[in-house]
Amino acid sequence: MTNRIPKISASKQICIVCEGNEEYKYLERLNELHVWNSLYAIRLDNAEGNGNIVARYQDNYQNGTYDAVFVFCDTEKKPHEQYKDIKTKINNIHGSDVAKYVVIFANPCTMQIILKHWTEQNIKSPAKPVNAPLIEKCTNVVKYKGRKDQIKEIMNKITINSYKTMKDRVRQMSSDDEVCGSTNFFELLKNLESADDKWIDDLNDKLEE
């Protein structure tokens, strides 16, 4: 009779393809704070531009390393052409309308979510000069332009307590990606905090239908 090797419980491998530095550094900071369940091992992949997102997603999804792969990106302002193109191409990879399950968006940009750590106010433009006064008010970072040192300074101000505040505010936001001031980020947060990983099987069932 063949000896059976006992099954060892392993962490679930999650990859999140980030549009750029803001997305990457933000999720990196949340991961550092250990706000998510230790069941999940998070790997972040900086696509360094929305034009690289689909290729990175496809590579990470098809290499078989990860239990789940997500995209974290901006919608930018209407008509959201590049964002819609990303969703269309991801749908084409899977052969069905599934991008809505794996593309985590912020409308109009990720700063919409980041600022929820300190304010309920929504931003209406992805333009950094337009948002700079509110960013300064919330974080004391002057004339924000998305420089690495400025991003680092903002991330250092994020705490476990402000994470909880952000999550409460994000939960109340619209999840309709056509609405300015919307995001589906809460669904990802809820799943990554869960001790029940069945959501991963449910996700992959949808992707493989």
Side-chain angles (χ1 to χ4, degrees):
M1 184 175 181
T2 305
N3 291 330
R4 292 178 181 247
I5 299 173
K7 187 176 180 180
I8 301 172
S9 178
S11 60
K12 295 296 182 178
Q13 305 295 311
I14 309 293
C15 177
I16 306 176
V17 178
C18 303
E19 178 176 333
N21 291 333
E22 282 184 349
E23 292 78 14
Y24 183 89
K25 289 298 182 180
Y26 179 54
L27 294 185
E28 182 181 60
R29 176 58 176 165
L30 296 186
N31 203 26
E32 289 171 350
L33 291 174
H34 304 292
V35 292
W36 299 322
N37 197 294
S38 59
L39 174 62
Y40 309 106
I42 311 294
R43 176 184 173 266
L44 305 176
D45 184 1
N46 189 348
E48 300 180 336
N50 56 23
N52 302 321
I53 286 175
V54 175
R56 296 287 186 91
Y57 173 84
Q58 186 167 19
D59 287 346
N60 286 305
Y61 180 77
Q62 293 181 343
N63 71 18
T65 301
Y66 301 106
D67 295 287
V69 180
F70 295 93
V71 165
F72 186 38
C73 65
D74 302 337
T75 66
E76 297 293 344
K77 56 186 177 181
K78 286 187 176 182
H80 313 310
E81 291 177 348
Q82 292 172 315
Y83 167 74
K84 289 179 178 178
D85 187 54
I86 289 168
K87 291 203 301 180
T88 297
K89 288 178 178 177
I90 288 177
N91 284 336
N92 290 341
I93 290 170
H94 295 284
S96 57
D97 183 18
V98 294
K100 57 191 173 187
Y101 303 121
V102 297
V103 177
I104 309 303
F105 71 88
N107 183 333
C109 60
T110 303
M111 189 55 69
Q112 183 79 268
I113 296 172
I114 296 172
L115 289 178
K116 293 300 178 185
H117 286 262
W118 303 284
T119 181
E120 294 183 352
Q121 185 174 339
N122 284 337
I123 58 177
K124 299 179 180 179
S125 169
K128 291 178 175 62
V130 174
N131 298 323
L134 181 59
I135 294 171
E136 181 178 355
K137 180 181 178 182
C138 293
T139 68
N140 294 320
V141 173
V142 179
K143 295 182 180 179
Y144 182 76
K145 296 180 180 179
R147 298 195 315 265
K148 288 183 178 181
D149 62 308
Q150 292 177 319
I151 294 173
K152 182 178 179 179
E153 187 176 350
I154 290 175
M155 298 310 143
N156 286 341
K157 296 177 185 295
I158 292 174
T159 65
I160 292 174
N161 285 337
S162 75
Y163 168 81
K164 295 174 182 176
T165 300
M166 175 277 298
K167 189 175 70 170
D168 287 342
R169 288 170 173 164
V170 164
R171 179 172 51 191
Q172 299 173 46
M173 296 172 69
S174 171
S175 58
D176 181 347
D177 58 9
E178 290 289 336
V179 174
C180 186
S182 64
T183 181
N184 59 349
F185 191 47
F186 179 77
E187 188 68 21
L188 179 64
L189 300 180
K190 181 181 70 174
N191 287 334
L192 292 181
E193 290 180 14
S194 175
D196 183 354
D197 62 12
K198 184 179 180 297
W199 63 270
I200 293 177
D201 292 332
D202 292 341
L203 171 64
N204 287 316
D205 286 345
K206 293 172 182 174
L207 300 182
E208 294 165 9
E209 285 179 352

